[in-house]
């Protein structure tokens, strides 16, 4: 409800069942956005410690799938960033590389570096 109010009602955009279906493109989606900046220091003391405790509680919960840990917001992104750092860059699917190289040829700019390090899933 908060997202509907902030991004729809307050933003003057569509909301609830007034938003067009995802793949329907016969009209503009008219989706709103809302950005909120909060300084936790303006509230109760101990934000960092309390937030660390909350995340520890969540991550320590019993997972629905025993083979997958419970993740908190930002965990998948941090894992992916670590993976990219270990690999020395961002992995792209070979089809994306080939497409970008074709685009580079068409507009006369340098192609991407050769792909000699293919990664399997």
């Amino acid at each position: 409800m908060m997202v509907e109010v902030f991004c729809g009602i307050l933003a003057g955009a569509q909301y609830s069942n007034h938003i067009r279906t995802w793949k329907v493109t016969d009209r503009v989606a008219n989706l709103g956005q809302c950005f909120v900046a909060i300084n936790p220091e303006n509230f109760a003391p101990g934000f960092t410690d309390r937030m660390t405790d909350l995340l520890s509680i969540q991550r320590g919960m019993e997972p629905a799938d025993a083979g997958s840990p419970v993740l908190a917001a930002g965990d998948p992104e941090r894992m992916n960033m670590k993976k990219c750092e270990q690999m020395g860059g961002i992995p792209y699917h070979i089809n994306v590389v080939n497409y970008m190289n074709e685009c580079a040829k068409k507009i006369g700019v340098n192609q991407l570096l050769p792909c000699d390090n293919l990664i399997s899933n």
Side-chain angles (χ1 to χ4, degrees):
M1 185 62 84
M2 185 172 67
V3 172
E4 293 283 3
V5 172
F6 280 21
C7 297
I9 306 294
L10 287 175
Q14 295 296 341
Y15 55 92
S16 187
N17 62 357
H18 299 294
I19 298 172
R20 70 167 169 80
T21 305
W22 177 249
K23 292 188 178 183
V24 172
T25 58
D26 63 342
R27 61 189 166 109
V28 174
N30 190 17
L31 301 175
Q33 298 180 26
C34 179
F35 300 91
V36 178
I38 297 174
N39 182 351
E41 298 300 321
N42 291 337
F43 296 89
F47 173 81
T48 301
D49 292 338
R50 291 166 49 86
M51 193 68 193
T52 299
D53 182 50
L54 174 62
L55 293 173
S56 295
I57 291 169
Q58 286 194 312
R59 290 180 182 124
M61 296 174 73
E62 184 178 339
D65 176 2
S68 298
V70 175
L71 302 176
D75 286 348
E77 293 80 4
R78 278 186 286 282
M79 289 187 297
N80 194 50
M81 288 169 56
K82 182 177 178 182
K83 177 182 168 185
C84 291
E85 287 171 7
Q86 290 169 341
M87 295 172 61
I90 301 170
Y92 288 95
H93 191 280
I94 191 64
N95 292 348
V96 173
V97 174
N98 291 337
Y99 177 77
M100 295 309 297
N101 282 338
E102 286 301 316
C103 290
K105 274 193 234 178
K106 287 179 186 175
I107 63 172
V109 297
N110 292 336
Q111 295 183 18
L112 296 172
L113 295 174
C115 297
D116 56 358
N117 188 15
L118 297 179
I119 302 166
S120 62
N121 290 338

